Amino acid sequence: MDSPRTNLLKARPRGLLPAPAMDEEGSVDRTDTGQAQVRQAWRALRSIPLEPSRLSDRRIVTLERRDPAHVAFDIMRTRMLKTMGENNWRRVGVTSPTAGCGKTMVCANLAFSLAHHLECRVALLDLDLSRTSLADLFGVGQAPSMARFLQGRSAVEDVFLRHADNLALGLNGCTESFTTEILHGRQTGSALETLERTLEPDIMLIDLPPQRTSDELLAFLPHLDCILLVAAAGVSTVYEIDTCERELDEESHLLGVVLNKCHEPGGR
């Protein structure tokens, strides 16, 4: 498998979201009484079985870690956690200049890599609403509608699925036409806040539409703390990458750039 190369840039502090409570050693404090409700909310999510062979065939290498390519994602995860922790960030969007760069694959690998930290609660959201990419990737048929959740028409426990004890999956099973209007709607911010109150994820990893194909990403940027750009060797041009980097750095906090589909010596 081709390994992704990452350049996680030094981010500027903004503090959009309140940081999770910390103990004296700097770890997330799980001891307050509200954690019982949070654990109950996680248990209320329907657990779904995942087929490791299916995911492996689709280049998801961090679930079982048998492929050495998982190391690149683990390094990316650790750098991301460091930068986000330093800035008290929780919401990270993942986009690409155009379709075909592998951003959904990167999202899925990062989600499983993050979830290997058992004390880290992770929520993976598919908000590329004109597609059903993550549901198709995981082989989940009849996935719920993320648009209904963003519009306040579905509860957390009716939409999100659970893998293990600390990975919540917000998979989208319905393609939408007016995606920008949904992402920019008044209820979207409230829905994300409800998710945070209910599950208290340490990281919200959000698969978003490509940057240069519509205005959907621009509509959602105010809801993010930072953003990760996934480009692809042989797909993304230097001009596209430079332009997207500059625009994202002006509008948000660019967490870094992942160059996907790189051919490494000795790789397959």
Side-chain angles (χ1 to χ4, degrees):
M1 174 181 173
D2 301 335
S3 299
R5 294 175 180 171
T6 63
N7 176 26
L8 292 185
L9 307 179
K10 180 62 178 177
R12 300 183 300 277
R14 180 171 61 169
L16 247 182
L17 294 174
M22 298 289 181
D23 61 20
E24 293 180 354
E25 296 180 353
S27 301
V28 177
D29 183 2
R30 305 294 194 195
T31 61
D32 63 272
T33 55
Q35 290 306 310
Q37 293 179 322
V38 174
R39 288 191 295 270
Q40 183 177 359
W42 277 86
R43 286 194 295 267
L45 304 183
R46 180 166 62 91
S47 178
I48 59 165
L50 297 176
E51 299 179 21
S53 60
R54 176 191 176 88
L55 295 180
S56 178
D57 289 343
R58 289 158 177 78
R59 300 193 174 198
I60 307 305
V61 297
T62 55
L63 178 62
E64 293 191 320
R65 289 175 157 176
R66 294 181 180 179
D67 190 317
H70 81 269
V71 175
F73 291 102
D74 288 347
I75 292 173
M76 192 190 316
R77 166 204 66 189
T78 301
R79 290 176 176 173
M80 185 175 75
L81 286 173
K82 181 177 183 295
T83 300
M84 294 185 70
E86 289 172 348
N87 293 280
N88 294 330
W89 293 343
R90 279 185 281 176
R91 298 180 186 178
V92 53
V94 181
T95 188
S96 57
T98 58
C101 294
K103 65 178 176 62
T104 298
M105 181 272 294
V106 170
C107 264
N109 274 300
L110 271 176
F112 289 120
S113 181
L114 286 162
H116 283 302
H117 277 298
L118 298 182
E119 296 300 317
C120 182
R121 295 180 181 135
V122 184
L124 174 62
L125 285 69
D126 187 355
L127 297 190
D128 193 351
L129 300 178
S130 62
R131 302 170 179 85
T132 57
S133 302
L134 277 170
D136 295 340
L137 180 66
F138 292 155
V140 177
Q142 297 183 333
S145 166
M146 286 300 294
R148 287 182 59 88
F149 171 71
L150 294 181
Q151 294 167 333
R153 298 160 61 195
S154 295
V156 171
E157 62 271 19
D158 295 330
V159 175
F160 283 80
L161 306 172
R162 177 171 54 83
H163 170 72
D165 292 326
N166 62 331
L167 175 57
L169 303 173
L171 308 181
N172 182 50
C174 304
T175 58
E176 304 290 341
S177 299
F178 300 98
T179 52
T180 299
E181 291 77 6
I182 295 170
L183 294 175
H184 199 252
R186 291 182 301 172
Q187 294 295 328
T188 292
S190 297
L192 296 175
E193 290 170 4
T194 297
L195 175 62
E196 287 181 324
R197 286 195 306 270
T198 304
L199 299 182
E200 291 194 5
D202 300 289
I203 298 290
M204 291 175 61
L205 190 62
I206 305 171
D207 187 5
L208 291 165
Q211 184 176 351
R212 294 177 60 84
T213 57
S214 72
D215 61 343
E216 296 166 82
L217 177 67
L218 185 62
F220 194 77
L221 281 178
H223 300 296
L224 296 174
D225 288 327
C226 55
I227 194 157
L228 190 67
L229 177 67
V230 178
V235 176
S236 307
T237 66
V238 173
Y239 173 78
E240 287 174 337
I241 297 171
D242 287 346
T243 301
C244 289
E245 277 190 90
R246 185 174 61 254
E247 292 175 354
L248 291 174
D249 205 31
E250 290 174 355
E251 298 289 340
S252 182
H253 292 117
L254 181 61
L255 184 63
V257 179
V258 178
L259 184 58
N260 196 27
K261 302 184 180 181
C262 297
H263 293 282
E264 299 287 354
R268 57 181 174 88

